[in-house]
Amino acid sequence: MKIKQALVSFSLFLFVYHCATTSAQSPAQAPSKNQAHPPSKHQVQTPAKAPSQPLAEPPSQVPLVQAPPHRAIAAPTNITKILDKAAGFSVFIRLLKSTQVIIQIENQLNVSNTLTIFAPTNGAFSSLKAGTLNSLSTEQKVQLVQYHVLPSFVALANFQTLSNPVRTQASNTYDFPLNIITEDKWVNISTGLVNTSISSTVYTDNQLAIYKIEKVLLPLGIFAPRPKPPALAPTPLKNKTETSSIGAVEASNGLSLTRNGMLNIGVAGVAIIFLFGQSKFY
């Protein structure tokens, strides 16, 4: 009896051991077909398409620096601060200060005058031939800066109303001509040596307008001076001796006429008396 119970217990032990071993050796489940696979080392990646370059757009009328809603009358607009805030105009700011044209501009704004400024970028000055600015005299640097200033406020939409050549603050329009032509919303500027366009509005407040340009405006009067137009010939003056002799002849002629006239009157008087006496005698 005890031997049978031992055999049954041993059989049950073997059965349980076999089941456990079989379960442990069952294969792992195959991965799903939808599972992501890492890319092969030799797989060719499709390059991203380069974005197409946007077409050039006309300058926006929205200024880079917004004008304050209210401004004290006694405090003129700080132009150098505006240009510094807009960024990219440090060379033009330095020229405004070194030539003291900035003082002239601020004084004009302080007495309610209106102005328009074309502000070249640092890139515009970098594109100049090396040594261009250093070769200019102090007076020429002043004229160069003044050539970028119009003596009146011109809104972006009103450049078409100007008459060419446009007068700047740099002397006359013969040595410093400036022609402005509008096409659709573009404002094109020509000096005779340089052609450029307004690229954006930096600042505007109905008294002052500052426009960004990508080239320095080079005037003919400084970089390609033309011969001066011939002056009108003055009226020739008469020789003093000739004038005196003519006057003397005219005076003597007048005196002769006077004497002859008096002599004629005297002769006529004598004749009348003689005739009157003869009539009484008869």
Side-chain angles (χ1 to χ4, degrees), residues 147 165 172-179 191-193 219-230:
Y147 189 60
N172 58 77
T173 56
Y174 180 82
D175 294 319
F176 299 87
L178 188 70
N179 294 305
T191 71
L193 297 174
L220 290 172
I222 296 176
F223 297 95
R226 298 179 292 175
K228 298 291 184 182

Side-chain angles (χ1 to χ4, degrees), residues 173-218:
T173 56
Y174 180 82
D175 294 319
F176 299 87
L178 188 70
N179 294 305
I180 299 178
I181 301 174
T182 59
E183 184 178 355
D184 295 333
K185 293 184 179 180
W186 288 98
V187 179
N188 303 313
I189 307 171
S190 176
T191 71
L193 297 174
V194 174
N195 296 320
T196 188
S197 301
I198 292 176
S199 57
S200 64
T201 301
V202 178
Y203 179 88
T204 181
D205 64 0
N206 295 325
Q207 184 189 15
L208 170 68
I210 304 177
Y211 298 108
K212 177 182 177 181
I213 55 177
E214 303 298 336
K215 290 184 179 180
V216 180
L217 302 178
L218 303 180

